[in-house]
């Protein structure tokens, strides 16, 4: 019987990672160059390479594939580079400046010279429509269709390609938005349309309008890209509708849903990495881990505590508010392609600017003219110029020397001092990111294990852990492609929410049961029943004390909706959660229910079964040795092949462990033991015990 496959694809800034897991649980992976001008080209190139590694033609591989899960940066890039659609906003008359006024707060409140935000929709394309719905959903002013048509004709003449519709209180009554969408279909039939009552049917006007505008801004690009990818896959032999996209909250969705809720793909790729890190933690038996994902352009950091990944609706991207739920991920401009430079104050800095996929680092030989982190790692001996990507590519060390020497002259340092400075600065920058996710939240990082993944992470993980006094680093064998691998550990997930502001003392038990029952029925309708093997429900509520201006997200999982005194139980959970977060609760104070939320999760076959390897029968044998720069001096370090290591082997630093698509550096005092799964469990020697 022929093997079947599941494929995960993660498009990064520099490389596109692909993982295939067959029906026996065997994993095959590869990397191909990303193609920013059209990501679908790099995806198909990678699939060709993946098929070749499996000894199959591409059409046969696709015919045997049961599921393709894709993480894309199309929405991310459109927002970061300000290359989204030309958007027109239709909103209630008198409210078109909400997008610019925001919440009345500056992101840096003590900065007196901060520039005002540059809205995605300029003021002349934000059009007021005559209509008004009250807070309770009643119609105060009927929709003036003539005013809608007049504004649509104006936007059409201005050449807008995408329309965002956000009327006041439409989360309580969406009739006006629905009718406006019908008029848009008549007058601008080719426009991409986002309704706030679809995208984010919740209270808080700025969050709703901002998220809806972002959805329209990136939606056309996402829709066009996914359509193009589908066509390219069909051209090379895919005849089944098996393409899914991972969303920012870690669940996967059909292409149509991803195109509709395009703002939900803004953290698509990083979400796969967090899902993969969570799966690794479960396999390794570690409940508290810090996912550390360093790629070519950025580093993503998150926190998994007690096997739970936090979801948040407080994130944004490129200065834009996106109030959709996502994994709580911190992204910083620190990657292998990060550029070293002097800033406006003549200070030596690394990142956030990046050489990207092209020209890339100078050592790639594509004309890069500034030193990057990868160039520094090559000069410090951490990378093998003749064995990059398993020998499929060579690095030009002469180019790295040339650009680093030019920069070193400006600094008054020599070549190696400059390279070591670049390496040190990027490590400190990434450690600062971990501080933000842990110490700033009252979490002690020393009790966590650092899960290192992404193509560049292994070169820096031990030093970053040492900076944070973290004693343990875990490196899976699929570390360089963990985001793509993790996508295959993700389930279908559909979330629905409803604003229902009111005192829970007034909301009786039956009202709560009805509310959550309706939300569950709505979410179930969106889930394709033929795909999921089983289904589970997650319920939560956002509550606050009556005078507060922020909400606390409270999980209602495990709460029996048929129980007596249900409302009291919900309020009690809120008090306890508030005390956990802020060290106090006010049991006698009025509590408001702001948003009710239900997620329906359709569990899909995991696709991979990780098997234990045969234990080592002899000591680990180095394949060669080379000089590396460690602790301020050149040291001779043995080089080991990861695939040749077996459970029971212990590698002591300084040493290099090479795999086809990643390299792990151990410094003096670090020790890496090989686990039964073939992963590296690194014990990091702390500074106070180093000599």
């Amino acid at each position: 019987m022929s093997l079947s496959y599941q494929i995960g694809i993660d498009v990064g800034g520099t490389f596109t990672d692909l993982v295939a897991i067959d029906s026996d649980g065997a994993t095959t992976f590869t990397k191909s160059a990303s193609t920013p001008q059209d990501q679908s080209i790099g995806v198909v190139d990678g699939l060709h390479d993946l098929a070749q590694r499996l000894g199959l033609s591409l059409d046969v591989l696709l015919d045997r594939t049961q599921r393709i899960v894709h993480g894309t940066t199309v929405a991310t890039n459109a927002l970061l580079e300000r290359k989204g659609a030309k958007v027109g906003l239709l909103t209630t008359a008198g409210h078109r400046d909400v997008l610019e006024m925001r919440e009345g707060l500056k992101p840096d409140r003590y900065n007196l010279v901060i520039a005002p935000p540059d809205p995605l929709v300029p003021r002349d394309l934000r059009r007021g429509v005559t209509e008004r719905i009250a807070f309770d959903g009643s119609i105060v002013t009927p929709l003036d269709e003539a005013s809608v048509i007049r504004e649509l004709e104006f936007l059409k003449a201005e050449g807008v390609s995408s329309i965002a519709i956000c009327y006041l209180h439409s989360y309580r009554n969406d009739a006006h938005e629905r009718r406006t969408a019908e008029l848009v279909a008549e007058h601008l039939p080719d426009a991409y349309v986002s309704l706030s009552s679809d995208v984010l049917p919740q209270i808080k006007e700025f969050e709703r309008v901002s998220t809806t505008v972002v959805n329209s801004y990136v939606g056309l690009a996402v829709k066009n890209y996914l359509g193009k990818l589908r066509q390219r896959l069909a051209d090379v032999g895919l005849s089944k509708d098996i393409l899914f996209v991972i969303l920012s909250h870690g669940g996967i969705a059909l292409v149509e849903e991803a195109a509709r809720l395009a703002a939900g793909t803004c953290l698509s790729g990083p979400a796969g990495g967090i899902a993969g890190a969570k799966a690794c933690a479960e396999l390794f038996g570690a409940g508290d881990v810090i996912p550390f994902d360093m790629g070519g352009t950025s580093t993503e950091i998150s926190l998994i505590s007690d096997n739970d990944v936090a979801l948040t609706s407080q994130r944004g991207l490129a200065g834009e508010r996106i109030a959709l739920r996502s994994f709580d991920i911190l992204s910083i401009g620190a990657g292998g392609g990060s550029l070293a430079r002097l800033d406006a104050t003549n200070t030596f800095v690394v990142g956030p600017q990046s050489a990207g996929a092209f020209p890339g680092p100078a050592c790639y030989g594509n004309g890069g003219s500034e030193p990057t982190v990868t160039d520094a790692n090559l000069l410090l001996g951490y990378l093998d110029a003749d064995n990059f990507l398993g020998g499929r590519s060579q690095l030009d060390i002469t180019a790295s020397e040339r650009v680093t020497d030019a920069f070193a002259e400006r600094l008054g340092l020599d070549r190696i001092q400059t390279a070591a400075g670049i390496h040190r600065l990027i490590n400190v920058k990434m450690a600062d990111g971990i501080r933000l996710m842990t110490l700033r939240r009252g979490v002690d990082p020393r009790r966590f294990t650092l899960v290192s993944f992404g193509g560049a992470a292994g070169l820096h993980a031990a030093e970053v852990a040492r900076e944070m006094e973290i004693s343990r680093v875990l490196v899976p064998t699929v570390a360089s492609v963990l985001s793509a691998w993790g996508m295959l550990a993700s389930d279908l997930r559909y979330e629905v929410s409803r604003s229902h502001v009111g005192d829970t003392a007034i909301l009786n038990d039956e009202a709560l049961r009805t509310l959550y029952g309706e939300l569950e029925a709505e979410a179930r309708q969106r889930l394709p029943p033929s795909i999921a093997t089983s289904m589970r429900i997650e319920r939560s509520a956002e509550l606050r004390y009556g005078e507060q201006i922020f909400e606390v997200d409270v999980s209602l999982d495990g709460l029996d909706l048929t129980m007596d005194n249900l409302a009291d139980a919900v309020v009690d959970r809120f008090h306890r959660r508030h005390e956990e977060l802020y060290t106090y609760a006010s049991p006698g104070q009025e509590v408001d229910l702001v948003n009710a939320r239900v997620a329906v999760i359709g569990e899909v076959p995991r696709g991979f079964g990780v098997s234990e390897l045969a234990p080592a029968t002899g000591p680990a044998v180095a394949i060669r040795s080379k000089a590396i720069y460690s602790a301020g001096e050149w040291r001779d370090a043995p080089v080991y092949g990861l695939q040749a290591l077996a459970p029971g082997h212990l590698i002591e630093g300084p040493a290099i462990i090479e795999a086809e698509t990643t390299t792990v550096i151990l410094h003096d005092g670090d020790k890496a033991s090989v686990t039964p799964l073939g992963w590296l469990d690194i014990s990091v020697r702390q500074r106070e015990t180093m000599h």
Side-chain angles (χ1 to χ4, degrees):
M1 184 177 177
S2 299
L3 293 171
S4 60
Y5 298 90
Q6 299 188 56
I7 298 175
I9 305 171
D10 175 39
V11 178
T14 307
F15 291 105
T16 295
D17 301 338
L18 300 96
V19 173
I21 300 175
D22 66 30
S23 47
D24 286 343
T27 301
T28 304
F29 56 87
T30 188
K31 285 178 176 280
S32 67
S34 293
T35 49
Q37 73 279 11
D38 182 354
Q39 292 185 5
S40 65
I41 297 173
V43 169
V44 173
D45 288 346
L47 285 169
H48 277 289
D49 188 37
L50 191 64
Q52 186 176 13
R53 286 169 176 265
L54 291 166
L56 302 170
S57 63
L58 181 53
D59 60 333
V60 171
L61 171 60
L62 293 175
D63 181 62
R64 295 183 185 176
T65 298
Q66 296 180 331
R67 180 166 52 115
I68 299 174
V69 184
H70 179 34
T72 173
T73 56
V74 169
T76 313
N77 294 343
L79 206 52
L80 290 173
E81 300 169 10
R82 289 290 178 122
K83 293 181 179 178
K86 187 173 185 178
V87 180
L89 171 63
L90 296 178
T91 189
T92 305
H95 289 257
R96 67 172 177 166
D97 291 325
V98 168
L99 196 63
E100 209 156 344
M101 294 165 63
R102 302 198 166 204
E103 295 167 305
L105 300 173
K106 295 187 296 185
D108 183 357
R109 68 184 64 187
Y110 300 113
N111 186 342
L112 301 180
V113 295
I114 190 171
D118 184 19
L120 293 178
V121 185
R123 195 168 195 267
D124 63 315
L125 298 182
R126 305 196 299 260
R127 313 301 293 180
V129 170
T130 302
E131 70 85 39
R132 187 61 177 261
I133 291 175
F135 72 95
D136 59 358
S138 61
I139 296 176
V140 177
T141 303
L143 178 68
D144 184 346
E145 296 190 8
S147 74
V148 175
I149 294 170
R150 182 171 60 251
E151 301 303 344
L152 287 176
E153 292 301 327
F154 173 84
L155 294 174
K156 184 177 182 180
E158 291 296 315
V160 303
S161 56
S162 193
I163 300 289
I165 304 170
C166 186
Y167 293 149
L168 202 62
H169 301 304
S170 61
Y171 59 89
R172 295 302 296 267
N173 182 347
D174 62 1
H176 286 180
E177 286 195 355
R178 297 289 173 198
R179 178 54 187 153
T180 301
E182 292 173 357
L183 293 172
V184 173
E186 294 174 16
H187 294 269
L188 278 82
D190 296 327
Y192 180 94
V193 183
S194 298
L195 279 63
S196 73
S197 51
D198 274 345
V199 175
L200 191 72
Q202 293 179 190
I203 196 172
K204 291 191 177 180
E205 190 176 4
F206 168 66
E207 291 187 351
R208 191 158 47 88
V209 70
S210 177
T211 306
T212 305
V213 165
V214 168
N215 199 75
S216 283
Y217 187 75
V218 303
L220 193 59
V222 171
K223 180 182 177 182
N224 290 342
Y225 165 70
L226 292 175
K228 189 179 297 183
L229 177 60
R230 263 183 163 174
Q231 186 57 53
R232 285 192 188 277
L233 291 175
D235 291 344
V236 293
L238 183 64
S239 58
K240 300 172 287 186
D241 188 15
I242 56 172
L243 179 62
F244 297 85
V245 178
I246 187 166
L247 303 182
S248 302
H249 54 45
I252 61 175
L254 290 166
V255 167
E256 292 78 12
E257 176 68 8
R260 181 191 71 84
L261 199 63
T265 68
C266 284
L267 290 175
S268 174
I274 306 307
K278 186 174 186 295
C280 287
E282 291 170 354
L283 290 167
F284 189 65
D288 298 326
V289 303
I290 298 172
F292 172 67
D293 176 9
M294 183 181 181
T297 306
S298 63
T299 294
E300 277 72 41
I301 299 164
S302 189
L303 195 67
I304 300 176
S305 181
D306 293 328
N307 294 308
D308 184 49
V309 187
L311 288 167
T312 180
S313 57
Q314 301 302 313
R315 287 291 178 195
L317 184 66
E320 302 300 327
R321 188 77 170 85
I322 305 172
L324 296 171
R325 298 246 287 181
S326 68
F327 278 155
D328 194 1
I329 302 171
L330 175 67
S331 182
I332 57 177
S338 293
L339 296 169
R341 59 189 176 86
L342 295 176
D343 67 9
T345 63
N346 224 32
T347 301
F348 180 9
V349 297
V350 183
Q353 290 80 5
S354 173
F358 190 88
C363 57
Y364 283 12
N366 294 324
S369 58
E370 298 176 86
T372 67
V373 172
T374 298
D375 293 306
N377 286 331
L378 180 61
L379 295 177
L380 295 173
Y382 303 156
L383 293 173
D384 187 342
D386 298 321
N387 194 40
F388 191 61
L389 291 179
R392 287 186 289 149
S393 179
Q394 291 188 325
L395 299 178
D396 184 354
I397 193 169
T398 303
S400 294
E401 292 171 343
R402 183 178 64 253
V403 297
T404 305
D405 286 347
F407 186 59
E409 187 175 347
R410 298 173 64 191
L411 296 173
L413 302 174
D414 65 30
R415 177 190 299 165
I416 298 304
Q417 287 174 327
T418 302
I422 294 171
H423 187 81
R424 169 75 176 146
L425 282 175
I426 204 70
N427 289 342
V428 170
K429 188 172 186 177
M430 293 184 292
D432 283 343
I434 294 176
R435 288 188 182 96
L436 285 174
M437 291 298 291
T438 55
L439 293 171
R440 286 284 295 270
R441 302 179 179 195
V443 176
D444 185 353
R446 293 174 297 183
R447 67 180 179 87
F448 284 74
T449 297
L450 193 72
V451 178
S452 169
F453 60 102
L459 298 166
H460 301 265
E463 284 295 293
V464 171
R466 195 169 359 260
E467 185 77 22
M468 296 303 302
E469 299 182 28
I470 295 171
S471 61
R472 197 175 195 183
V473 175
L474 179 65
V475 184
T477 50
V478 290
S480 66
V481 293
L482 191 75
S483 290
W485 183 81
M487 291 171 190
L488 300 178
S490 300
D491 294 315
L492 287 158
R493 183 184 181 98
Y494 288 82
E495 289 195 356
V496 294
S497 62
R498 187 181 300 175
S499 286
H500 204 293
V501 182
D503 184 351
T504 52
I506 298 174
L507 270 178
N508 58 44
D509 295 354
E510 195 56 43
L512 280 175
R513 292 188 193 102
T514 301
L515 174 60
Y516 279 96
E518 290 174 352
L519 289 173
E520 182 178 329
E522 182 182 343
R524 284 179 180 274
Q525 287 179 351
R526 297 188 181 184
L527 194 73
S530 59
I531 299 170
T533 56
S534 61
M535 194 176 295
R536 72 178 190 274
I537 306 295
E538 291 181 359
R539 304 178 184 89
S540 62
E542 292 179 1
L543 302 108
R544 68 187 180 197
Y545 290 119
E547 302 303 317
Q548 287 178 329
I549 60 171
F550 62 91
E551 297 80 50
V552 173
D553 191 14
V554 179
S555 171
L556 303 184
D557 291 344
L559 204 61
D560 184 0
L561 294 186
T562 64
M563 68 183 294
D564 294 332
N565 302 316
L566 175 62
D568 291 341
V570 171
V571 171
D572 182 61
R573 285 203 176 191
F574 165 70
H575 291 315
R576 282 186 281 137
R577 181 60 178 154
H578 196 281
E579 187 165 11
E580 288 173 3
L581 293 172
Y582 306 111
T583 72
Y584 78 94
S586 302
Q589 192 170 341
E590 173 188 284
V591 175
D592 285 342
L593 170 65
V594 179
N595 295 311
R597 191 185 313 276
V598 168
V600 174
I601 295 96
E603 297 180 352
V604 296
R606 278 291 179 266
F608 56 84
V610 182
S611 55
E612 295 188 358
L613 305 179
T617 57
V621 179
I623 52 180
R624 63 183 184 281
S625 66
K626 65 177 301 190
I628 67 170
Y629 194 76
S630 179
E633 61 182 356
W634 287 99
R635 303 285 300 275
D636 191 54
V639 180
Y640 299 89
L642 179 60
Q643 297 301 320
L645 298 178
H649 280 148
L650 179 67
I651 309 298
E652 298 189 18
I656 300 175
I657 302 173
E658 291 183 343
E660 181 181 353
T661 54
T662 194
T663 300
V664 178
I665 299 295
L666 302 178
H667 294 278
D668 189 29
D670 298 336
K671 298 179 181 180
S673 59
V674 182
T675 74
L677 299 177
W679 300 357
L680 298 179
D681 182 5
I682 302 173
S683 173
V684 179
R685 189 169 186 179
Q686 300 304 303
R687 285 205 173 102
E688 61 268 23
T689 61
M690 295 179 69
H691 53 77

